[in-house]
Amino acid sequence: MRLHAYDLRRRLYIIFRGEEGLDYGGVAREWFFMLSHEVLNPMYCLFEYASKNNYSLQINAASSVNPDHIQYFKFVGRFIAMALYHGKFIYSGFTMPFYKRMLNKSLTLKDLENIDPEFYNSLEWTKENNVEECGLDMYFTADFEILGKIESHDLKEGGADIPVTEENKEEYIHLMTQWRFSRGIEEQMKAFLEGFNEVVPLQWLQYFDERELELMLCGMQEFDIEDWQRNTIYRHYTRDSKQVVWFWRAVKEMDNEKRSRLLQFVTGTCRLPVGGFSELMGSNGAQKFCIEKVGKDTWLPRSHTCFNRIDLPPYKNYEQLWEKVSFAIEETEGFGQE
């Protein structure tokens, strides 16, 4: 990794010490997969799982326990860029907000739901309720505990002396959201992006969205549709309802990329646990894929990623279901997901 960036973009030829073999792509593929398994391992404190039920990775704010952590993040950035450039997959993927930061896209309150449900619900409550009538003593400041030490941060200049009111709470929610995504990880993220940009200029990524970036880095899985069906529950539908029959017909007719997008739309990630659909996790633990009858036939499907649930309106025919589902998973961002 001490090589110049252009050297890292040259054709790879990987040799494992003590092993003989010609690298026609398979050895390099194995090397990227094995090395990514190590450098992204949460045990090393550089990265951590987003939450107890979300195994996507995010930067660990406590990474400073390793005095050389900034150098490691730059190394990881270069390594991930190499994997992307050479078309090799990594062992584990990152959170959607992490990919959005790589793409320099703005982060919203909705992006918090999958990685910190409690924080998200707290800000949602603030948004929906009158903070003055509730008598809450809130200011433009936030506290964060890291390595046993509580640090206070002003969300804006003089924030500790600025109370939150109905008039300014939208600004408070926005600033608190941005702080939550950056708290304790600004230097690490900067080093990661710096390393990545040396090998693959970040402007090259602007043609993709965060879902496509995840697919390029993590690849697609082969889906066992029978396992998917066995581990799906229904609300206000039965497995014999015509809309459910049409839904599974659509899934079978999709190519693997579209199935990945459907899974991503409903669960928040295109990756499955090792045990398949039976081990899908939700906000309250094990949570099977769910299809619920909701809405009118003119509506698009909606997803609730914390509960692995898709709201499937009672469409009148297969063609209408195919059109609405396809549009939802390919075109919607934000309003089609909860």
Side-chain angles (χ1 to χ4, degrees):
M1 283 295 176
R2 295 188 180 94
L3 296 174
H4 292 293
Y6 62 81
D7 288 318
L8 299 179
R9 292 193 293 264
R10 297 172 64 180
R11 186 186 183 283
L12 294 175
Y13 190 82
I14 303 296
I15 301 175
F16 283 98
R17 184 177 296 175
E19 296 184 19
E20 294 184 5
L22 297 176
D23 184 8
Y24 292 108
V27 179
R29 184 164 55 247
E30 181 182 3
W31 181 77
F32 275 102
F33 197 77
M34 292 176 64
L35 185 54
S36 64
H37 181 272
E38 289 300 312
V39 299
L40 300 177
N41 191 330
M43 289 182 62
Y44 298 120
C45 291
L46 295 178
F47 295 90
E48 63 181 356
Y49 293 128
S51 63
K52 64 181 180 180
N53 62 325
N54 184 339
Y55 297 117
S56 297
L57 296 170
Q58 62 185 11
I59 292 175
N60 188 341
S63 64
S64 59
V65 294
N66 184 331
D68 298 320
H69 69 131
I70 297 301
Q71 292 174 270
Y72 280 112
F73 277 108
K74 185 172 182 180
F75 163 81
V76 174
R78 299 187 89 192
F79 171 73
I80 296 299
M82 278 185 66
L84 182 64
Y85 185 85
H86 292 285
K88 308 301 182 186
F89 299 139
I90 60 175
Y91 177 79
S92 183
F94 302 101
T95 63
M96 283 297 132
F98 187 93
Y99 293 123
K100 291 183 78 170
R101 293 195 72 176
M102 290 179 67
L103 298 170
N104 198 29
K105 296 178 70 172
S106 59
L107 296 168
T108 67
L109 176 59
K110 201 68 183 172
D111 293 315
L112 263 180
E113 186 175 16
N114 278 339
I115 65 171
D116 196 337
E118 290 184 10
F119 202 96
Y120 167 80
N121 289 332
S122 174
L123 292 181
E124 271 291 312
W125 188 94
T126 303
K127 182 179 180 181
E128 299 298 328
N129 291 274
N130 189 310
V131 295
E132 295 177 35
E133 290 181 357
C134 294
L136 296 177
D137 191 21
M138 298 169 58
Y139 292 85
F140 277 73
T141 186
D143 294 331
F144 178 48
E145 182 179 349
I146 182 168
L147 298 176
K149 180 182 178 182
I150 297 179
E151 298 181 358
S152 185
H153 174 81
D154 284 354
L155 300 177
K156 58 190 296 186
E157 187 175 353
D161 299 317
I162 303 175
V164 178
T165 65
E166 279 298 294
E167 184 178 350
N168 65 20
K169 74 176 183 181
E170 285 295 327
E171 180 189 11
Y172 169 80
I173 292 171
H174 171 72
L175 293 175
M176 185 66 87
T177 299
Q178 301 309 307
W179 172 80
R180 172 58 185 82
F181 282 119
S182 62
R183 68 181 190 189
I185 66 166
E186 279 298 300
E187 288 186 38
Q188 298 95 311
M189 192 70 196
K190 180 180 178 182
F192 175 90
L193 293 176
E194 182 181 333
F196 188 99
N197 189 63
E198 289 178 0
V199 180
V200 175
L202 289 166
Q203 61 263 32
W204 291 3
L205 303 181
Q206 300 309 307
Y207 300 101
F208 307 102
D209 63 26
E210 59 273 18
R211 298 177 181 86
E212 292 168 329
L213 186 54
E214 182 183 40
L215 285 172
M216 288 190 295
L217 279 172
C218 300
M220 293 182 295
Q221 301 179 90
E222 290 294 331
F223 296 103
D224 184 338
I225 297 176
E226 291 184 1
D227 177 54
W228 197 340
Q229 290 177 286
R230 277 195 307 270
N231 292 286
T232 294
I233 58 176
Y234 306 96
R235 292 184 179 176
H236 311 301
Y237 278 131
T238 69
R239 66 178 64 251
D240 298 318
S241 299
K242 58 185 180 182
Q243 287 82 7
V244 171
V245 172
W246 293 337
F247 177 85
W248 291 118
R249 175 185 166 188
V251 171
K252 291 175 182 177
E253 292 182 1
M254 291 176 181
D255 58 27
N256 219 37
E257 179 179 0
K258 201 160 190 172
R259 290 174 191 152
S260 292
R261 280 189 171 270
L262 173 62
L263 183 66
Q264 198 171 52
F265 176 73
V266 180
T267 69
T269 178
C270 67
R271 307 293 289 177
L272 280 174
V274 175
F277 286 92
S278 65
E279 295 185 4
L280 280 178
M281 301 296 287
S283 59
N284 298 314
Q287 183 72 60
K288 289 190 175 183
F289 192 91
C290 178
I291 301 175
E292 181 169 4
K293 181 180 181 180
V294 174
K296 304 175 182 179
D297 67 340
T298 55
W299 293 13
L300 285 172
R302 297 178 67 91
S303 66
H304 305 266
T305 55
C306 283
F307 305 103
N308 300 330
R309 187 172 84 234
I310 181 172
D311 292 344
L312 188 70
Y315 297 121
K316 295 179 179 179
N317 53 59
Y318 173 73
E319 289 72 23
Q320 185 186 28
L321 180 142
W322 174 268
E323 178 185 355
K324 297 288 189 180
V325 170
S326 296
F327 186 87
I329 64 178
E330 298 290 346
E331 303 296 336
T332 60
E333 181 179 349
F335 78 88
Q337 294 181 289
E338 291 186 352

